[in-house]
PDB file of all heavy atoms in Angstrom:
ATOM      1  N   ALA A 222     -12.085 -11.429   3.030  1.00  0.00           N
ATOM      2  CA  ALA A 222     -12.774 -10.845   1.964  1.00  0.00           C
ATOM      3  C   ALA A 222     -12.994  -9.393   2.059  1.00  0.00           C
ATOM      4  O   ALA A 222     -13.492  -8.970   3.137  1.00  0.00           O
ATOM      5  CB  ALA A 222     -14.074 -11.628   1.640  1.00  0.00           C
ATOM      6  N   PHE A 310      -9.812   4.432  29.458  1.00  0.00           N
ATOM      7  CA  PHE A 310     -10.999   4.866  30.163  1.00  0.00           C
ATOM      8  C   PHE A 310     -12.181   3.993  29.761  1.00  0.00           C
ATOM      9  O   PHE A 310     -12.117   3.252  28.728  1.00  0.00           O
ATOM     10  CB  PHE A 310     -11.300   6.365  30.085  1.00  0.00           C
ATOM     11  CG  PHE A 310     -11.672   6.857  28.678  1.00  0.00           C
ATOM     12  CD1 PHE A 310     -12.949   6.932  28.317  1.00  0.00           C
ATOM     13  CD2 PHE A 310     -10.622   7.336  27.789  1.00  0.00           C
ATOM     14  CE1 PHE A 310     -13.244   7.341  27.030  1.00  0.00           C
ATOM     15  CE2 PHE A 310     -10.923   7.756  26.521  1.00  0.00           C
ATOM     16  CZ  PHE A 310     -12.185   7.722  26.160  1.00  0.00           C
ATOM     17  N   TYR A 412      16.822  -9.905 -12.095  1.00  0.00           N
ATOM     18  CA  TYR A 412      15.655 -10.638 -12.779  1.00  0.00           C
ATOM     19  C   TYR A 412      16.005 -10.995 -14.178  1.00  0.00           C
ATOM     20  O   TYR A 412      15.610 -12.015 -14.626  1.00  0.00           O
ATOM     21  CB  TYR A 412      14.466  -9.698 -12.736  1.00  0.00           C
ATOM     22  CG  TYR A 412      14.057  -9.274 -11.398  1.00  0.00           C
ATOM     23  CD1 TYR A 412      13.520  -7.952 -11.178  1.00  0.00           C
ATOM     24  CD2 TYR A 412      14.237 -10.033 -10.208  1.00  0.00           C
ATOM     25  CE1 TYR A 412      13.139  -7.548  -9.952  1.00  0.00           C
ATOM     26  CE2 TYR A 412      13.860  -9.557  -9.014  1.00  0.00           C
ATOM     27  CZ  TYR A 412      13.330  -8.296  -8.787  1.00  0.00           C
ATOM     28  OH  TYR A 412      13.068  -7.750  -7.549  1.00  0.00           O
ATOM     29  N   GLN A 425       2.242   0.489  -6.080  1.00  0.00           N
ATOM     30  CA  GLN A 425       1.515   0.173  -4.864  1.00  0.00           C
ATOM     31  C   GLN A 425       2.446  -0.807  -4.054  1.00  0.00           C
ATOM     32  O   GLN A 425       3.084  -1.693  -4.571  1.00  0.00           O
ATOM     33  CB  GLN A 425       0.242  -0.513  -5.114  1.00  0.00           C
ATOM     34  CG  GLN A 425      -0.747   0.458  -5.644  1.00  0.00           C
ATOM     35  CD  GLN A 425      -2.251  -0.102  -5.811  1.00  0.00           C
ATOM     36  OE1 GLN A 425      -2.551  -1.040  -4.993  1.00  0.00           O
ATOM     37  NE2 GLN A 425      -3.005   0.317  -6.738  1.00  0.00           N
ATOM     38  N   PRO A 545     -15.010   1.730 -16.784  1.00  0.00           N
ATOM     39  CA  PRO A 545     -14.135   2.171 -17.871  1.00  0.00           C
ATOM     40  C   PRO A 545     -13.632   3.647 -17.723  1.00  0.00           C
ATOM     41  O   PRO A 545     -12.661   3.978 -18.484  1.00  0.00           O
ATOM     42  CB  PRO A 545     -14.998   2.028 -19.058  1.00  0.00           C
ATOM     43  CG  PRO A 545     -16.383   2.244 -18.577  1.00  0.00           C
ATOM     44  CD  PRO A 545     -16.387   1.601 -17.176  1.00  0.00           C
ATOM     45  N   ALA A 558      -1.212   4.862 -28.520  1.00  0.00           N
ATOM     46  CA  ALA A 558       0.169   4.550 -28.776  1.00  0.00           C
ATOM     47  C   ALA A 558       0.337   2.993 -29.200  1.00  0.00           C
ATOM     48  O   ALA A 558       1.525   2.558 -29.470  1.00  0.00           O
ATOM     49  CB  ALA A 558       0.956   4.814 -27.519  1.00  0.00           C
ATOM     50  N   GLU A 577     -20.410 -10.343 -15.130  1.00  0.00           N
ATOM     51  CA  GLU A 577     -20.612  -8.803 -15.479  1.00  0.00           C
ATOM     52  C   GLU A 577     -19.234  -8.131 -15.661  1.00  0.00           C
ATOM     53  O   GLU A 577     -19.127  -7.322 -16.626  1.00  0.00           O
ATOM     54  CB  GLU A 577     -21.357  -8.213 -14.282  1.00  0.00           C
ATOM     55  CG  GLU A 577     -21.613  -6.665 -14.422  1.00  0.00           C
ATOM     56  CD  GLU A 577     -22.257  -6.049 -13.200  1.00  0.00           C
ATOM     57  OE1 GLU A 577     -22.630  -6.773 -12.319  1.00  0.00           O
ATOM     58  OE2 GLU A 577     -22.316  -4.895 -13.202  1.00  0.00           O
ATOM     59  N   GLY A 583     -14.497  -6.830 -21.617  1.00  0.00           N
ATOM     60  CA  GLY A 583     -14.433  -7.287 -22.952  1.00  0.00           C
ATOM     61  C   GLY A 583     -14.933  -6.227 -23.909  1.00  0.00           C
ATOM     62  O   GLY A 583     -14.550  -6.270 -25.166  1.00  0.00           O
ATOM     63  N   ILE A 603     -12.344 -16.370   3.292  1.00  0.00           N
ATOM     64  CA  ILE A 603     -13.091 -16.251   2.034  1.00  0.00           C
ATOM     65  C   ILE A 603     -12.072 -15.733   0.981  1.00  0.00           C
ATOM     66  O   ILE A 603     -11.401 -14.760   1.093  1.00  0.00           O
ATOM     67  CB  ILE A 603     -14.186 -15.154   2.167  1.00  0.00           C
ATOM     68  CG1 ILE A 603     -15.265 -15.637   3.182  1.00  0.00           C
ATOM     69  CG2 ILE A 603     -14.891 -14.953   0.850  1.00  0.00           C
ATOM     70  CD1 ILE A 603     -16.280 -14.633   3.632  1.00  0.00           C
ATOM     71  N   PRO A 634      -6.183 -32.511 -11.650  1.00  0.00           N
ATOM     72  CA  PRO A 634      -5.218 -32.267 -10.469  1.00  0.00           C
ATOM     73  C   PRO A 634      -3.970 -33.058 -10.830  1.00  0.00           C
ATOM     74  O   PRO A 634      -3.993 -34.118 -11.519  1.00  0.00           O
ATOM     75  CB  PRO A 634      -5.982 -32.754  -9.318  1.00  0.00           C
ATOM     76  CG  PRO A 634      -7.419 -32.794  -9.673  1.00  0.00           C
ATOM     77  CD  PRO A 634      -7.472 -33.032 -11.205  1.00  0.00           C
TER      78      PRO A 634
END
Side-chain angles (χ1 to χ4, degrees):
F310 61 92
Y412 305 143
Q425 289 186 29
E577 180 183 354
I603 300 172

